[in-house]
Amino acid sequence: MDDDIADDDAAPSLNAPSDLTAEYAEGAVVLNWTDNSDNEDGFYIYREYVTAGEKEFEKIGEVGADVTTYVDEDFSCDNDANYYVTAFAGTDESDPSNTASPGLVICAPSDLTAEYTEFGVELNWTDNSEIEDGFYIYREYADKEFVNVGTVGPNITTFVDDTFECDREATYHVVAFVGEVESEPTGDVDTGLVVCAPTNLSVDAYYGDTLEDIDIELFWDDNSEIEDGYRIEMLVPDKQDWEELVTLPADSTSYSYTIDCGDYVKDAQYRV
């Protein structure tokens, strides 16, 4: 009789959760599972790091009844980890769910900058990983897809994209990689519109129709197909600031003007 009473009063068994998944996103591991019990007080979440060699599960959190997701914000990148979840009611605990892993998570680079120079687009970033084999550099022109435009080795934090095409705007991001595994990308950075610069500027100065005048002629190559015009500036010795001389319409490739001999500055510099 006592045995029958004990059986009747025994707490119903807890069904183990199932279908556990683990996905790394935005600096945390997101866990989702199926709740197969209708009498749990909540769920315990367990984690073991694989890469670090700990190989021992520890409880890292718990959620209430009927909750089927958990975000592990304390996960350390440059690691792989295994997770499982159990249901609990009081001091009773179910069998564990299946084990799930986000896979190897490489610490992503950050602080990417992009600056256009005469040699191409110079990229610089911060290396946050201690295990990367190197970095992939990705570029996207407007309305196109990101493509890999370069690779550098571990601990290198700069790259010059000398294949960038001017008269365009591009977006870049960088990822760290280990084997075939890539980290999350840095934030995207834009170059802004880069107009193809004029080249081969030449300046000629000679006497005009009278010896009292100096004719000055400037010539250059127009390399852009999108310019609105050209601005010619002059720097006079003993002055620190460039002064605008004239603004010209698009497709211009020369400019000439005449000054009095007394106003001619032999060592003046020009730029277009």
Side-chain angles (χ1 to χ4, degrees):
M1 184 68 174
D2 290 341
D3 290 341
D4 292 338
I5 294 175
D7 290 340
D8 291 340
D9 292 341
S13 61
L14 289 165
N15 294 324
S18 61
D19 306 316
L20 177 65
T21 61
E23 182 177 355
Y24 184 80
E26 298 181 355
V29 176
V30 180
L31 304 175
N32 290 281
W33 61 88
T34 298
D35 176 4
N36 297 313
S37 180
D38 58 5
N39 61 335
E40 82 276 356
D41 292 334
F43 296 91
Y44 292 137
I45 294 87
Y46 293 85
R47 179 190 66 206
E48 70 164 353
Y49 282 119
V50 177
T51 312
E54 295 176 10
K55 288 292 185 179
E56 183 175 342
F57 280 98
E58 62 175 353
K59 186 189 299 181
I60 61 169
E62 65 179 78
V63 294
D66 302 324
V67 178
T68 58
T69 189
Y70 178 82
V71 179
D72 180 10
E73 297 179 343
D74 294 327
F75 176 84
S76 298
C77 55
D78 278 359
N79 278 302
D80 189 0
N82 291 322
Y83 293 84
Y84 70 76
V85 177
T86 62
F88 72 89
T91 58
D92 293 330
E93 191 170 353
S94 74
D95 290 335
S97 68
N98 60 294
T99 301
S101 170
L104 176 62
V105 176
I106 308 164
C107 295
S110 60
D111 307 317
L112 179 64
T113 62
E115 181 179 1
Y116 183 75
T117 72
E118 61 180 309
F119 304 107
V121 177
E122 180 178 324
L123 304 171
N124 291 278
W125 61 89
T126 298
D127 175 7
N128 297 311
S129 177
E130 297 182 356
I131 64 171
E132 83 276 358
D133 292 335
F135 296 91
Y136 292 138
I137 295 86
Y138 289 91
R139 180 188 67 209
E140 174 195 48
Y141 287 126
D143 301 324
K144 303 293 183 180
E145 295 182 353
F146 276 100
V147 295
N148 188 329
V149 295
T151 304
V152 296
N155 304 320
I156 296 176
T157 58
T158 188
F159 176 80
V160 176
D161 179 13
D162 57 7
T163 65
F164 173 83
E165 299 174 0
C166 54
D167 276 1
R168 306 183 77 170
E169 180 176 356
T171 301
Y172 291 86
H173 63 230
V174 176
V175 302
F177 69 90
V178 174
E180 297 182 355
V181 178
E182 295 186 12
S183 73
E184 290 189 316
T186 61
D188 292 346
V189 296
D190 297 327
T191 59
L193 178 62
V194 177
V195 183
C196 295
T199 55
N200 299 321
L201 175 64
S202 64
V203 180
D204 294 328
Y206 50 87
Y207 285 111
D209 294 336
T210 70
L211 295 180
E212 296 178 355
D213 296 330
I214 297 290
D215 291 335
I216 299 176
E217 294 184 339
L218 292 84
F219 300 91
W220 61 89
D221 292 338
D222 173 10
N223 298 311
S224 177
E225 297 181 356
I226 64 171
E227 83 276 4
D228 292 332
Y230 288 93
R231 181 171 58 247
I232 298 177
E233 297 177 337
M234 180 174 66
L235 180 64
V236 177
D238 300 328
K239 290 189 176 181
Q240 296 181 347
D241 298 326
W242 289 84
E243 297 180 358
E244 182 176 324
L245 188 62
V246 67
T247 298
L248 302 174
D251 301 324
S252 298
T253 57
S254 65
Y255 174 70
S256 62
Y257 69 104
T258 301
I259 59 174
D260 292 334
C261 286
D263 296 329
Y264 175 63
V265 181
K266 180 179 180 181
D267 295 325
Q269 300 180 55
Y270 296 87
R271 68 184 183 187
V272 179

